Amino acid sequence: MVTTDFSGGVSNVLTVALDKFPEPYGIKDLESRIVYANPALIALFGVKSVSDVVGKFDHEIKSKLVQFDNAAEEFQKQDKQVIDTKCSLVTLEIHPKAIDHPFIVRKVPLLNNEGECIGIIGHNRNLEICTLNDYVRGSMPGSLLLNRPDDTFSERECEIIFFRLQGLKSRVIGNIMYLSCRTIENSLQRMYNKAGVNHIDDFRAFCEEKNYHRYLPRRFINRVCCKF
């Protein structure tokens, strides 16, 4: 069994059970330090032993999985969001320099009997179907959100944002979405007004601040893959 005690405690029954799962599971404390990792998670990190992961922050792990794309920093931000909101978070992870297939991560708050958050449980699962390569042009962040960051933009607006941040022109976006170029341009102007900007560079900065550059609209992922 791979486990480390921390404030609030982790049930031995839980960790013994998670050890037997073929999919990667991990538990972090409130400081975002890994306090438990099952063998599958150790294998995902590509390290030699439990001690290379347990008791460490993501940025301290000598693994390609967290050494590129500011992954460690982004993971910590996600952990904080789960802890602060006590709501689960689902992301799509694409790290070609570390692993040859994308995978989905669901982070769930770990609560004690009093309903207090004492940590996070993370579950990784390989993505079986992904149409991302049909749409992405250029570089994308390694960690993509499957939850819309907030309600600033509608789902359709998020689709336009996704394409625009990849450098696609309004005419091309319109062809993909079966909309006129004018409709796309009008939508972009409304989004610029919402963001309080007038230029794509400022709009890109706004999206990065609000994490919209990491949001992957639902149309790009087969619905079956998101129901875990």
Side-chain angles (χ1 to χ4, degrees):
M1 180 178 65
V2 185
T3 183
T4 300
D5 292 333
F6 69 103
S7 179
V10 176
S11 168
N12 285 341
V13 174
L14 174 62
T15 57
V16 168
L18 293 180
D19 275 351
K20 300 183 183 301
F21 277 83
E23 295 177 338
Y25 278 87
I27 299 177
K28 290 183 174 181
D29 64 16
L30 295 178
E31 295 182 345
S32 203
R33 181 186 291 105
I34 299 174
V35 296
Y36 164 82
N38 73 350
L41 184 57
I42 300 300
L44 180 64
F45 275 113
V47 295
K48 295 181 179 180
S49 68
V50 174
S51 61
D52 293 324
V53 173
V54 172
K56 298 181 182 295
F57 295 102
D58 288 310
H59 70 270
E60 296 176 329
I61 301 173
K62 298 185 183 304
S63 167
K64 291 182 179 180
L65 192 62
V66 292
Q67 291 177 346
F68 299 101
D69 306 318
N70 296 320
E73 179 181 350
E74 181 59 27
F75 291 163
Q76 189 167 16
K77 290 179 181 178
Q78 295 168 5
D79 296 342
K80 186 177 186 304
Q81 179 179 334
V82 173
I83 291 169
D84 290 346
T85 64
K86 294 185 181 180
C87 295
S88 62
L89 179 68
V90 184
T91 65
L92 172 63
E93 301 298 321
I94 304 174
H95 304 278
K97 294 181 180 179
I99 189 169
D100 61 2
H101 57 80
F103 58 96
I104 293 177
V105 177
R106 179 182 291 274
K107 295 182 178 181
V108 180
L110 179 61
L111 307 179
N112 62 17
N113 293 334
E114 287 72 41
E116 300 169 330
C117 184
I118 60 172
I120 300 169
I121 297 180
H123 170 211
N124 301 352
R125 186 176 123 180
N126 289 345
L127 185 65
E128 298 169 358
I129 301 175
C130 179
T131 61
L132 190 60
N133 289 335
D134 295 333
Y135 301 98
V136 174
R137 296 184 181 184
S139 177
M140 286 292 294
S143 182
L144 302 179
L145 298 175
L146 301 187
N147 304 76
R148 191 146 43 107
D150 55 36
D151 295 325
T152 301
F153 301 116
S154 68
E155 186 67 16
R156 192 175 83 162
E157 288 175 331
C158 287
E159 294 175 7
I160 296 174
I161 290 172
F162 180 87
F163 289 125
R164 190 67 187 91
L165 294 185
Q166 300 312 305
L168 275 66
K169 302 298 184 181
S170 297
R171 177 181 57 80
V172 178
I173 297 174
N175 289 340
I176 294 173
M177 297 183 66
Y178 301 103
L179 297 171
S180 70
C181 178
R182 178 60 61 86
T183 296
I184 298 299
E185 290 177 347
N186 289 340
S187 295
L188 283 168
Q189 187 57 56
R190 286 194 296 271
M191 287 188 282
Y192 279 23
N193 292 339
K194 287 183 182 180
V197 301
N198 296 304
H199 191 271
I200 181 59
D201 291 341
D202 296 326
F203 186 64
R204 184 185 300 276
F206 176 87
C207 290
E208 290 178 355
E209 178 183 354
K210 299 294 185 180
N211 246 2
Y212 272 95
H213 71 305
R214 293 185 181 276
Y215 176 58
L216 185 64
R218 290 191 296 269
R219 69 175 287 169
F220 303 122
I221 301 295
N222 187 293
R223 292 181 180 181
V224 174
C225 297
C226 296
K227 293 181 179 179
F228 85 103

